[in-house]
Amino acid sequence: IKNISSKYEIKKMIMTIGLEDFKNILKIENLRDDISLIKEKFNEIIMNNEPIFLKELAISGKDILNLGIKDGKKIKELLEKSLDIVLKNPELNQKNYLLKLIEEEKI
């Protein structure tokens, strides 16, 4: 956890291990090292309600289906790529914006 330097990396770790486990790791690491910068970034993520999980995306698989994309694997891939964009730039979690990227094949 000490090697994490960005909010993006914090979100990716939370996606991997879950929110509660991440909180527990913060508590444990805080006993050993100064991780105040990581805790500050984590608190910003939570306070700003920044998306971390697919279910928090402004779009869903149904929205992509409505674009005419029927392949389940492709839909999952597009959702994951959309989430990655939003993890880096939470302000881009806008339905119209993400669907436009998908329609224009920019994802």
Side-chain angles (χ1 to χ4, degrees):
I1 197 166
K2 291 182 291 186
N3 296 327
I4 293 175
S5 61
S6 71
K7 288 168 65 173
Y8 174 75
E9 291 171 316
I10 291 171
K11 293 174 193 177
K12 291 295 269 188
M13 182 176 257
I14 292 171
M15 284 176 55
T16 303
I17 65 172
L19 185 58
E20 290 307 312
D21 285 342
F22 186 81
K23 288 178 182 178
N24 290 332
I25 288 172
L26 279 181
K27 289 176 188 173
I28 293 167
E29 288 296 321
N30 195 45
L31 297 173
R32 293 191 275 181
D33 294 307
D34 179 20
I35 56 167
S36 56
L37 186 58
I38 295 169
K39 286 175 28 181
E40 181 181 319
K41 289 179 182 181
F42 173 71
N43 287 332
E44 284 179 25
I45 291 167
I46 299 303
M47 296 276 287
N48 294 332
N49 202 27
E50 295 182 23
I52 299 171
F53 302 104
L54 281 173
K55 66 182 180 181
E56 298 170 326
L57 270 178
I59 62 171
S60 67
K62 185 176 180 180
D63 296 314
I64 297 173
L65 272 170
N66 290 337
L67 294 177
I69 299 169
K70 305 294 183 203
D71 180 12
K73 288 181 183 179
K74 181 68 174 172
I75 291 171
K76 182 180 180 199
E77 176 187 321
L78 290 168
L79 286 170
E80 289 172 348
K81 287 181 178 181
S82 296
L83 180 60
D84 200 56
I85 290 168
V86 170
L87 290 176
K88 293 174 185 170
N89 300 290
E91 68 278 2
L92 299 179
N93 192 24
Q94 300 172 24
K95 186 174 186 172
N96 291 337
Y97 176 78
L98 294 172
L99 291 176
K100 184 178 178 185
L101 286 181
I102 292 169
E103 284 180 307
E104 295 176 357
E105 298 181 8
K106 293 186 178 179
I107 294 182

